[in-house]
Amino acid sequence: MQRIRAVGREAAAKKYDILSAMMAHALAGDGQDQRLVLRLMALITTRYNWQSDELVIGQRQIARLWCVDERTVKRDMARLRGLGWITVKRQGARGRVSVLGLGLERIMLDTRAAWPNIGPDYVARLSGESEPEASDTTVVPFRRPEIAAEGGIWGAARAHLATEDRALFDAWFAGLADGEIKDGCLTLIAPSRFHAAYLRTHLMDRLRTAVRRADVRITQVRIEAG
């Protein structure tokens, strides 16, 4: 999947692509998901600064926009932060509201299953692939074996990571071995020091999200070299 940022010459088209992905995801979900995504889209279209990746708005103003009470705002914003769709860039203090950002990579990953509902051209564009041509019956497509959901927290997280991005999973996550869980921290064992260092530097957010979705009681993930 291409990394998507709504800046530059094609900023307008990229914004529509992001909002289209969110819309398709919401329409494929239940009423609760639809309300949550609609509320986030309302914040994006009215108050989000695409250039600086900043959303600055107080809970009272959000409640007025959403036509709900502030308790509902706290609950739904907590859900969006838990999903990784909203990030806290600077915590509010002394009467100042928090500066929030969008987890665009996480949004696009979570909505990917609904992209085909928009069309094959959209899928090809967002995946960075050329549009599919007429199939050649003399070529047998290679299929990767499915990742079976194993038992335990890491087993569930592995299956989630493989579904999100199989190529990335095969390169960096498949080689991780389950360690121990202690005091809300899951330890994973990498095959080498380089492998562990790369994961810590580049992929920890994705790992934490997958593990927390497998079990919300896990608050930390530690990578050690085998």
Side-chain angles (χ1 to χ4, degrees), residues 3-215:
R3 185 167 186 142
I4 189 165
R5 289 192 63 205
V7 295
R9 293 178 59 188
E10 299 180 353
K14 291 176 181 177
K15 292 174 187 177
Y16 278 114
D17 282 341
I18 294 166
L19 293 172
S20 295
M22 295 173 65
M23 173 196 65
H25 173 77
L27 291 173
D30 58 22
Q32 190 176 31
D33 288 338
Q34 290 173 5
R35 282 193 300 272
L36 185 67
V37 175
L38 175 61
R39 287 169 178 171
L40 177 57
M41 291 177 72
L43 291 179
I44 292 172
T45 54
T46 60
R47 287 290 182 266
Y48 179 62
N49 186 321
W50 293 92
Q51 191 71 31
S52 62
D53 179 31
E54 290 187 351
L55 175 64
V56 184
I57 182 172
Q59 289 185 353
R60 185 176 301 174
Q61 289 73 34
I62 296 175
R64 183 169 61 241
L65 176 63
W66 289 357
C67 299
V68 298
D69 56 34
E70 291 187 40
R71 184 170 58 180
T72 299
V73 171
K74 291 179 181 179
R75 182 196 66 209
D76 280 7
M77 293 299 282
R79 283 186 62 199
L80 290 166
R81 289 194 301 272
L83 289 171
W85 286 31
I86 280 182
T87 62
V88 179
K89 300 182 70 174
R90 188 167 63 250
Q91 190 67 48
R94 295 184 180 180
R96 294 185 178 181
V97 301
S98 297
V99 178
L100 307 175
L102 288 185
L104 290 179
E105 182 181 10
R106 174 51 51 187
I107 288 172
M108 299 310 286
L109 283 168
D110 287 347
T111 60
R112 191 168 188 170
W115 293 2
N117 297 342
I118 300 174
D121 58 324
Y122 180 90
V123 175
R125 184 169 69 255
L126 271 291
S127 300
E129 304 167 353
S130 58
E131 292 191 41
E133 298 178 357
S135 59
D136 184 347
T137 56
T138 64
V139 177
V140 179
F142 172 75
R143 293 182 180 273
R144 295 187 179 100
E146 295 293 327
I147 299 297
E150 303 172 2
I153 295 170
W154 177 234
R158 285 180 88 252
H160 181 76
L161 289 164
T163 300
E164 281 187 348
D165 190 326
R166 185 56 189 271
L168 188 68
F169 172 83
D170 289 343
W172 296 105
F173 298 129
L176 292 174
D178 198 353
E180 64 173 357
I181 297 176
K182 185 176 181 180
D183 298 328
C185 178
L186 170 65
T187 299
L188 299 172
I189 311 301
S192 68
R193 290 183 179 180
F194 170 78
H195 200 116
Y198 186 92
L199 288 168
R200 293 190 199 106
T201 303
H202 300 286
L203 297 171
M204 284 304 295
D205 285 344
R206 189 173 292 201
L207 263 177
R208 290 192 194 100
T209 298
V211 170
R212 280 189 55 79
R213 290 187 179 186
D215 193 323

